[in-house]
Amino acid sequence: MRRVGLAIILLSVAVGSASAADIPVKAPVTPAPVVAPIYNWSGFYVGGHVGAAWSNAHISDPTGVNFAPPGASIGDDGSGILGGAQIGVNWQIQRWVLGIQGDFAWTGIDASVTDPFLPAMTLSYKTEWIGMLTGRVGYAWDNWLLYLKGGAAWVHNKYSAVDPAFLRVGVNATGADTRVGWTLGGGFEYGFTPHWSAFVEYDYIGLGTHTVTLTATAGSLPADVKQNINIVKVGINYRFGGL
């Protein structure tokens, strides 16, 4: 009897071991990978920029008698540095970034040309400042942002026409105006910290043709000026967030 009981016990142990071997073993739980946070472009920002600007202008005489014949125009191109500030706000929707931005810059654009029809006369202008108010749309890859912008532009110019021999009494006529036009541009921006970003940008400003009146002691001298401006600039922004 003892031998039979011992055999039964051994058989039970063997069967239990075989059943335990058939139980599936759960795989170890692998922790979810740590995903770096996506850069947040939303919120208010303010910054500064520097760059260079090239102005292309054509000047014509609406009277056809003062400094150029009817239908003729005089090219007067200039260039200079610029520097200023910008302020804006962004709203990020997944990878799309929408925004509004205002820019203001002082410029050193200075242009002067000798009148080919009156060689003693010099026609000049200076672009003193440029302002822009634009909407922006961009596409973000984490802390990289590619964007386009467009809107309105304001350009302040000073003009002069100087001819010491004009009608034997000479002329020194001057004038100024603030012209309104449109602008299109775009650029890349890189966020190198959660609050600081840097950018490079190109802007085109179209001003069409505008009549400006230059005045002198002897009277007035109207001129039609067609102008456009190309700008390349780099800058930096501080982002406050808040949206």
Side-chain angles (χ1 to χ4, degrees), residues 9 20 68 129 181 212:
I9 292 172
W129 57 260
V212 58

Side-chain angles (χ1 to χ4, degrees), residues 2 26 38 43 65 117-118 155 218:
R2 290 182 179 178
K26 292 184 179 181
I38 297 175
V65 297
F117 307 103
L118 295 172
V155 175

Side-chain angles (χ1 to χ4, degrees), residues 107-222:
T107 81
I109 297 174
D110 195 348
S112 183
V113 65
T114 299
D115 189 335
F117 307 103
L118 295 172
M121 178 173 285
T122 301
L123 303 173
S124 306
Y125 69 91
K126 293 182 178 181
T127 300
E128 294 191 324
W129 57 260
I130 296 172
M132 292 186 285
L133 180 62
T134 56
R136 305 202 322 166
V137 57
Y139 190 81
W141 294 269
D142 198 4
N143 54 345
W144 282 98
L145 178 66
L146 169 66
Y147 63 90
L148 299 174
K149 59 186 291 189
W154 293 264
V155 175
H156 184 75
N157 288 325
K158 284 188 174 180
Y159 309 91
S160 68
V162 179
D163 184 350
F166 189 75
L167 297 179
R168 297 185 179 181
V169 297
V171 63
N172 187 355
T174 59
D177 67 356
T178 299
R179 307 180 63 181
V180 181
W182 56 272
T183 180
L184 286 175
F188 284 98
E189 191 165 1
Y190 176 72
F192 55 91
T193 76
H195 292 288
W196 289 97
S197 61
F199 66 89
V200 57
E201 180 177 301
Y202 166 78
D203 298 308
Y204 177 87
I205 297 176
L207 297 168
T209 301
H210 178 74
T211 299
V212 58
T213 300
L214 286 65
T215 58
T217 54
S220 62
L221 188 154

Side-chain angles (χ1 to χ4, degrees), residues 13-41:
V13 171
V15 171
S17 299
S19 299
D22 292 337
I23 298 174
V25 179
K26 292 184 179 181
V29 177
T30 303
V34 177
V35 179
I38 297 175
Y39 193 86
N40 182 15
W41 290 96

